[in-house]
């Protein structure tokens, strides 16, 4: 899919118009409702500032958490309105609902350069079920729709896909950055092109592996998904994550890599634990020597070195998924080593959202990466070449 033919905020006239801007304000809150990490809001500010500078009447819309279709004050977007008010130095009017009386009243009286925020769109079941009536009502609040919530573009929800059917639409700067960086890398990668895949399951990443095999020079597989491949090679993997119904698939992938001349790197040693527990007894063993009753929870030191060496010479690196249970300090070393190697490689680097992005940020390598995606699922789907409904729905240039 080529999304670069989609209209951007710069292609539409917004002066004096009510613009519904779908953002991803799904920020973590502490028990007192304070925002503990405002990164997602900060990343939306470029589009917000642009629209306001062009005289839009701005209606912000987002989800927060999983209120499961019910109004739940715990998931109110009020703290977000307060935060944006401070950043902008002007009031962000908070609606008490999404499409109800309060939202209608506030949005209809907005003046140029003013901002309001609708309540959590997931207070309605109709959001995730992409109910056309709900989408239509949401659309009726505005004249134009802009989507900048990349992290939800892989889902056809009312505020991402449904609403775009009823209004002229465009993408914001955040989405533009995501699609332009990813298109550049996938269509014209600086070689050697290396992709590193990790995370829990092979089954979640089959599509991505298959699609990347067509493009990369080297494919590195670590994390929980590596054990299915190791088992397919005939190694015993103890109690490690292993999808026994995917062994043939793993064999086919390895054969296909060979046929296409893609170098496939798997762990040569692993850090194994006795139990799935952050403090479990641990040891490093070679890939073909995982003892019965032990589970692989990280790549080992030799593997970290092997992967780092490969990454060193890369022209382009695309990374998605941790090399082990990186949430636990004892099993985070492999993920740290990969993050460090990418940061030091000087390669064009794209980090998928989720755990790999969190590791890069926690380690302070974020500014060394070309692009850290704001959406794990959405960026995987882009890599896979599968359509993202929230992008497909936007108006073409
Ligand atoms: P994903 O969402 O597929 O990228 O997977 C991320 C999750 O995979 C993280 O929560 C990790 O803890 C988990 N993970 C990575 N490696 C392993 C492993 N060897 N065993 C169990 N879980 C793992």
């Amino acid at each position: 899919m080529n999304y670069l033919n989609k209209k951007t905020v710069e292609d539409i006239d917004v002066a004096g118009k009510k613009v519904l801007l779908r953002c991803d304000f799904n920020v973590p809150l502490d028990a007192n409702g304070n925002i503990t990490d405002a990164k997602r809001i900060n990343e939306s500010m470029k589009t917000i500032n642009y629209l306001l500078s062009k005289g839009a009447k701005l209606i912000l819309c987002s989800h927060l958490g999983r209120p499961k279709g019910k109004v739940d004050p715990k998931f109110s977007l009020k703290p977000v309105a307060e935060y944006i008010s401070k950043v902008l130095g002007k009031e962000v009017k908070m609606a008490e609902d999404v499409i109800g009386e309060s939202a209608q009243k506030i949005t209809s009286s907005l003046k140029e350069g003013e901002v309001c925020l609708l309540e959590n769109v997931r207070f309605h079941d109709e959001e995730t079920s992409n109910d056309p009536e709900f989408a239509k009502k949401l659309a009726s609040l505005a004249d134009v729709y802009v989507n900048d919530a990349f992290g939800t573009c892989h889902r056809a929800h009312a505020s991402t896909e449904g609403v775009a059917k009823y209004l002229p639409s465009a993408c914001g700067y955040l989405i533009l950055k995501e699609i332009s960086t990813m298109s550049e890398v996938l269509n014209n990668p600086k070689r050697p092109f290396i992709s590193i895949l990790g995370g829990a399951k092979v089954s979640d990443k089959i599509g991505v592996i298959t699609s990347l095999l067509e493009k990369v020079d080297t494919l590195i597989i670590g994390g929980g998904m590596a054990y299915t491949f190791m088992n397919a090679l005939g190694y015993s993997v103890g109690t490690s994550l292993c999808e026994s119904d995917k062994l043939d698939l793993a064999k086919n992938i390895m054969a296909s890599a060979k046929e296409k001349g893609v170098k496939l790197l798997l762990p040569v040693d692993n850090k194994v634990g006795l139990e799935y527990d952050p403090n479990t007894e641990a040891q490093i063993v070679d890939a073909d020597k995982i003892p019965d009753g032990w589970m692989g929870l990280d790549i080992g030191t030799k593997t970290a070195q092997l992967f780092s060496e490969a990454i060193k010479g890369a022209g382009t690196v695309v990374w998605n998924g941790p090399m082990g249970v990186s949430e636990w300090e004892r099993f985070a070393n492999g993920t740290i080593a990969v993050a460090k190697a990418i940061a030091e490689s000087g390669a064009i680097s794209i980090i998928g959202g989720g755990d790999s992005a969190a590791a890069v940020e926690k380690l302070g390598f974020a500014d060394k990466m070309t692009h850290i995606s704001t959406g794990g699922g959405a960026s995987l789907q882009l890599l896979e070449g599968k359509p993202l409904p929230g992008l497909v729905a936007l108006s073409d240039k």
Side-chain angles (χ1 to χ4, degrees), residues 198-201 204-205 223-224 227 241 276 296-297 321-327 355:
K201 288 184 181 166
D204 290 343
K205 306 215 166 138
Y227 301 96
L241 275 185
Y276 185 73
L297 295 171
M323 296 293 100
V325 187
S326 57
E327 304 92 316
D355 298 282

Coordinates of all heavy atoms in Angstrom, one line a residue, residues 198-201 204-205 223-224 227 241 276 296-297 321-327 355, ligand 1:
G198 N 11.8 -10.1 17.4 CA 11.7 -10.8 18.7 C 10.3 -10.8 19.2 O 9.4 -10.6 18.5
G199 N 10.2 -10.9 20.6 CA 8.8 -10.9 21.1 C 8.4 -12.4 21.4 O 9.2 -13.3 21.2
A200 N 7.1 -12.5 21.8 CA 6.7 -13.7 22.3 C 6.5 -14.8 21.3 O 7.0 -15.9 21.4 CB 5.4 -13.5 23.1
K201 N 5.7 -14.5 20.3 CA 5.2 -15.7 19.4 C 5.5 -15.5 18.0 O 5.4 -14.5 17.4 CB 3.7 -15.7 19.5 CG 3.2 -16.2 20.9 CD 1.7 -16.3 20.7 CE 1.0 -16.7 22.0 NZ -0.5 -16.4 21.8
D204 N 2.3 -14.5 15.8 CA 2.0 -13.0 15.7 C 2.8 -12.4 14.6 O 2.4 -11.3 14.1 CB 2.4 -12.3 17.0 CG 1.5 -12.6 18.1 OD1 0.4 -13.2 17.9 OD2 1.9 -12.3 19.3
K205 N 3.9 -13.0 14.2 CA 4.8 -12.3 13.3 C 5.0 -13.0 11.9 O 5.9 -12.7 11.2 CB 6.1 -12.0 14.0 CG 5.9 -11.3 15.3 CD 6.9 -10.3 15.7 CE 6.3 -9.4 16.8 NZ 7.2 -9.1 17.9
G223 N 14.2 -13.6 21.1 CA 13.0 -13.6 21.9 C 12.3 -14.9 22.0 O 12.9 -16.0 21.5
G224 N 11.1 -15.0 22.5 CA 10.4 -16.2 22.7 C 10.2 -17.0 21.4 O 10.2 -18.2 21.4
Y227 N 12.6 -20.0 20.0 CA 12.6 -21.4 20.4 C 11.9 -22.3 19.5 O 12.2 -23.5 19.4 CB 12.1 -21.5 21.9 CG 13.0 -20.6 22.8 CD1 12.7 -19.3 23.1 CD2 14.3 -21.1 23.1 CE1 13.5 -18.5 23.8 CE2 15.2 -20.3 23.9 CZ 14.8 -19.0 24.2 OH 15.6 -18.2 24.9
L241 N 9.0 -21.1 25.6 CA 7.9 -20.9 24.7 C 8.2 -21.6 23.4 O 9.3 -21.5 22.8 CB 7.8 -19.4 24.3 CG 7.0 -18.4 25.2 CD1 7.0 -17.1 24.6 CD2 5.6 -18.9 25.5
Y276 N 9.1 -19.1 35.3 CA 8.8 -17.8 34.7 C 8.6 -16.8 35.8 O 7.5 -16.6 36.3 CB 7.5 -18.0 33.8 CG 7.2 -16.7 33.0 CD1 7.9 -16.4 31.9 CD2 6.2 -15.9 33.4 CE1 7.7 -15.2 31.2 CE2 5.8 -14.7 32.7 CZ 6.6 -14.4 31.6 OH 6.3 -13.2 31.0
G296 N 14.1 -20.8 28.2 CA 14.9 -19.7 27.6 C 14.1 -18.4 27.9 O 13.0 -18.2 27.4
L297 N 14.8 -17.4 28.6 CA 14.1 -16.1 28.8 C 14.9 -15.0 28.3 O 14.5 -13.8 28.4 CB 13.9 -16.0 30.4 CG 13.0 -17.0 31.0 CD1 13.0 -17.0 32.5 CD2 11.5 -16.8 30.5
G321 N 10.4 -6.1 18.6 CA 10.2 -7.2 19.6 C 11.5 -7.4 20.4 O 12.6 -7.5 19.8
P322 N 11.4 -7.6 21.7 CA 12.5 -7.8 22.6 C 13.2 -9.2 22.4 O 12.6 -10.1 21.9 CB 12.0 -7.6 24.0 CG 10.5 -8.0 23.9 CD 10.1 -7.6 22.5
M323 N 14.5 -9.2 22.8 CA 15.2 -10.5 22.7 C 14.9 -11.5 23.8 O 15.4 -12.6 23.8 CB 16.7 -10.2 22.7 CG 17.2 -9.4 21.5 SD 17.0 -10.3 19.9 CE 15.5 -9.6 19.3
G324 N 14.2 -11.0 24.8 CA 13.9 -11.8 26.0 C 12.8 -11.1 26.8 O 12.2 -10.2 26.3
V325 N 12.7 -11.6 28.0 CA 11.7 -10.9 28.9 C 12.4 -9.6 29.4 O 12.8 -9.6 30.6 CB 11.2 -11.9 30.0 CG1 10.1 -11.2 30.8 CG2 10.8 -13.2 29.4
S326 N 12.4 -8.6 28.6 CA 13.2 -7.4 28.9 C 12.6 -6.6 30.0 O 13.2 -5.7 30.5 CB 13.3 -6.6 27.6 OG 12.1 -6.3 27.1
E327 N 11.3 -6.9 30.4 CA 10.7 -6.2 31.5 C 11.5 -6.6 32.8 O 11.4 -5.8 33.8 CB 9.2 -6.5 31.7 CG 8.3 -6.3 30.5 CD 8.2 -7.6 29.6 OE1 9.3 -8.3 29.4 OE2 7.1 -7.9 29.2
D355 N 7.7 -3.0 23.3 CA 8.8 -3.3 24.2 C 10.1 -2.8 23.7 O 11.0 -2.3 24.5 CB 8.9 -4.8 24.5 CG 7.6 -5.3 25.2 OD1 7.5 -5.0 26.4 OD2 6.7 -5.8 24.5
Ligands
LIG1 P1 5.6 -9.0 21.4 O1 4.4 -8.2 21.9 O2 5.2 -10.2 20.5 O3 6.6 -8.1 20.8 O4 6.2 -9.7 22.6 C1 6.7 -8.9 23.7 C2 6.7 -9.9 24.9 O5 7.5 -11.0 24.6 C3 7.3 -9.2 26.1 O6 6.3 -9.1 27.1 C4 8.4 -10.2 26.6 O7 8.4 -10.5 27.9 C5 8.0 -11.5 25.8 N1 9.1 -12.4 25.6 C6 10.2 -12.1 24.9 N2 11.0 -13.2 25.0 C7 10.5 -14.1 25.7 C8 10.8 -15.4 26.2 N3 12.0 -16.0 25.8 N4 9.9 -16.1 26.9 C9 8.8 -15.5 27.3 N5 8.4 -14.3 26.9 C10 9.2 -13.6 26.1

